[in-house]
Structure formats: C-alpha cells, structure tokens
Amino acid sequence: MILTVTLNTALDVTYRVPRLLPHTSHRVTGATERPGGKGVNVARVLAALGHKVTATGFAGGAVGAVVRELLAADAGVTDALLPCAGATRRTLAVVDEASGDTTQFNEPGPQITPAEWARFQSRYEELLDGARAVALCGSLPPGVPVGAYAVLVRTARAAGVPVLLDTSGEALRRGVAARPEMIKPNAAELAELTGSRDPLPATRDARRRGAHAVVTSLGPAGLLAATADGTWQAAPPRPLAGNPTGAGDSAVAGLLSALTEGLDWPARLTRAVALSAATVHAPAAGEFDPRTYEQVRGSVTVTHAQA
C-alpha cells in the first residue's frame, strides 16, 4: 500500500468559460467537482496505475462530507481521512477555453486544533505500518505547526518508510532538513528554498540541504533530478496545450509508483513526465489521458544534466 497525506484536503471545482474577462458575467459551459488537495490527486492517479493506495488527512463540515462521498466512488482509493470540526476548503479553477489558461482560487482551509493534530499523528503512525511509501503533499491548514512535515518525515523514516515531500515555503525548508527520500518542488518553490533561480545549481543545493533526491518541475520543459546516482533532465517531445492543474501531482504519483516498483531514475522520470503531460489533456486534476500517456512515454528524452 502507498499512503498519501493531504492535511489540507479540498473540494476541487473546475469551471470552463468561453473567455474569462474581468468585471463581467460569464456563462459556464462545463463544471466538475472532484475530491482534491495535492495528496488526494496523487492517490487517484496511483489507483489508476493499479496501486493500492490509502488517502489520509482531514475532512470536515458539509464540504468535507462531499469530498468523502466523491472519494468513495474512486476505485482503488481507501478513505482514511480524519474528521475535524472546521470546514474543508474549496478550490475553484476557471478555464478560459479561448486561451487555455487557468485561473485558480484557493481557500485557506479549516482551523485544526491541537487535539485534532495529535489524533492525526497517532493515526499516521498506525497507517505507516502497512505502507511501502508515503507522499506528504500540499499546504498546511491553519493550526497545524509549520514544522509538521518535518515531524511526519522523521516518523516515517523511523518506521523505515520512504517519503516524498511536495510542499513549499517554510514547511518545505523544515521538511528538507528531516531528510526525506525525495522532494518535488517547482521552479518557484525551489528558488524560494535556495535563493537561486538557476534550476541546475539550485536543485543540487536543495539536495545538500537534506533530501536524498530533488526532482524539480520545469513546467512544459519537464523535470530536472539531482540524485545520489547522478543528475538528469527529462523532457516531453513537445509542450502540450491544456489545463496544467494537477500535472505536478501526477508527476509525484509517477515518481512514487516507480520508486515502489524498484525502477531506475531514467524510468522514474520518464513515467513522471508522461503522466504530467497526460494530465494536461485530462478534464480535472487527479486524472490523466491514457492515450496521451502512452504516446508521450515512448518519446520522453532523458539526458545527463551537465554542470
């Protein structure tokens, strides 16, 4: 079983409009609702790849109930979300069909009490007992300590379970110091962590800060990975137009699934890039287009990155 942690779960709402214009009314041409938050998206992709996966985190209020109802309909994902008194947040993505651009609105999330955080840590330790790997993903809801991910990384390491950490800001800085197996920042998150906007030295610098491997998302240009076995860049054959929301989460699912299967780094990166590209052609985060995945997977180029 692979465990995903989403402390700040969400109900992801996606609207499609012919053209997004400020200060006007819009006719919505399509709307979808999905259980969301980065780790939930990762869980759904892992399940689609055939892995047994358990999703944990917090869910509360009427929105949390909808998230759990929708999650129950996702085959292969086991719901281990813990109830909280506050209301689960919503995220709203508005897709401009004319340009293909997406505008995102993210609510902050529920206030988590110290007692709720303590209950989660106990449940997390129990779930690690059957886990082959764990993904710690996304933002921290109000009330959760900023060092929460560092605590969860150390707990997993003590249990012998490899951790992939995908977060940002101070939570990432502290989490890296706890020495996770892997982190997956995007270019902006990496620059914030290291102070450098040059991806190659910044990726290597991030690894020196404690992570065993650092995989940086370069957007349409693919992934850059600094590992104990070398540094690689993996790129799709061409940029794909579409909705990029959730593409990074699919890359995390690719990396984590390949890790549990014992694949080498070029194969891990190939899978992650192909899944990320295929998500751009999917209607919502946590999904990928199988045909695009197969097409891109056969055309990904993986090269050693030079200093």
Side-chain angles (χ1 to χ4, degrees):
M1 177 266 286
I2 299 176
L3 177 65
T4 71
V5 173
T6 314
L7 296 175
N8 209 4
T9 53
L11 179 65
D12 286 345
V13 181
T14 302
Y15 288 162
R16 304 186 71 88
V17 298
R19 185 180 296 275
L20 182 62
L21 298 172
H23 316 300
T24 65
S25 296
H26 295 79
R27 184 176 298 278
V28 175
T29 58
T32 60
E33 288 186 344
R34 296 287 189 276
K38 294 178 73 64
V40 172
N41 294 336
V42 171
R44 290 166 59 208
V45 174
L46 285 168
L49 291 171
H51 286 268
K52 292 183 178 179
V53 58
T54 296
T56 190
F58 292 107
V63 175
V66 174
V67 167
R68 301 191 78 164
E69 179 181 350
L70 293 173
L71 191 60
D74 283 322
V77 179
T78 298
D79 176 1
L81 297 171
L82 272 68
C84 62
T88 293
R89 67 189 176 126
R90 292 163 297 181
T91 69
L92 176 63
V94 182
V95 180
D96 183 327
E97 294 178 325
S99 66
D101 293 337
T102 301
T103 301
Q104 191 85 15
F105 300 89
N106 296 327
E107 296 178 358
Q111 181 76 31
I112 302 300
T113 67
E116 289 168 342
W117 172 235
R119 283 198 298 272
F120 174 81
Q121 291 180 80
S122 296
R123 180 62 174 141
Y124 175 71
E125 289 187 29
E126 295 171 359
L127 291 169
L128 284 173
D129 186 50
R132 300 177 60 197
V134 58
L136 307 176
C137 302
S139 62
L140 300 176
V144 172
V146 70
Y149 282 136
V151 172
L152 298 182
V153 169
R154 286 192 287 266
T155 302
R157 290 187 62 220
V161 180
V163 180
L164 190 157
L165 175 63
D166 184 15
T167 188
S168 60
E170 184 65 14
L172 175 59
R173 189 184 70 80
R174 297 196 187 194
V176 169
R179 302 186 61 79
E181 182 70 23
M182 197 184 322
I183 63 171
K184 197 216 67 66
N186 60 33
E189 293 161 350
L190 182 70
E192 184 180 10
L193 175 66
T194 65
S196 173
R197 295 194 175 276
D198 188 334
L200 182 56
T203 298
R204 289 170 172 163
D205 178 25
R207 184 169 177 267
R208 287 191 292 270
R209 292 168 185 258
H212 291 244
V214 178
V215 181
T216 301
S217 173
L218 304 177
L223 298 172
L224 178 65
T227 79
D229 299 325
T231 304
W232 286 275
Q233 185 163 355
R238 64 190 182 282
L240 298 177
N243 180 7
T245 304
D249 304 332
S250 292
V252 168
L255 293 167
L256 204 59
S257 61
L259 169 67
T260 62
E261 293 170 26
L263 302 185
D264 62 15
W265 272 105
R268 295 183 198 183
L269 296 170
T270 295
R271 179 180 292 182
V273 167
L275 283 170
S276 182
T279 297
V280 172
H281 278 188
E287 299 177 2
F288 64 92
D289 180 69
R291 179 176 297 181
T292 303
Y293 171 61
E294 293 298 335
Q295 290 174 345
V296 174
R297 187 172 62 167
S299 303
V300 173
T301 58
V302 181
T303 58
H304 277 287
Q306 302 299 319

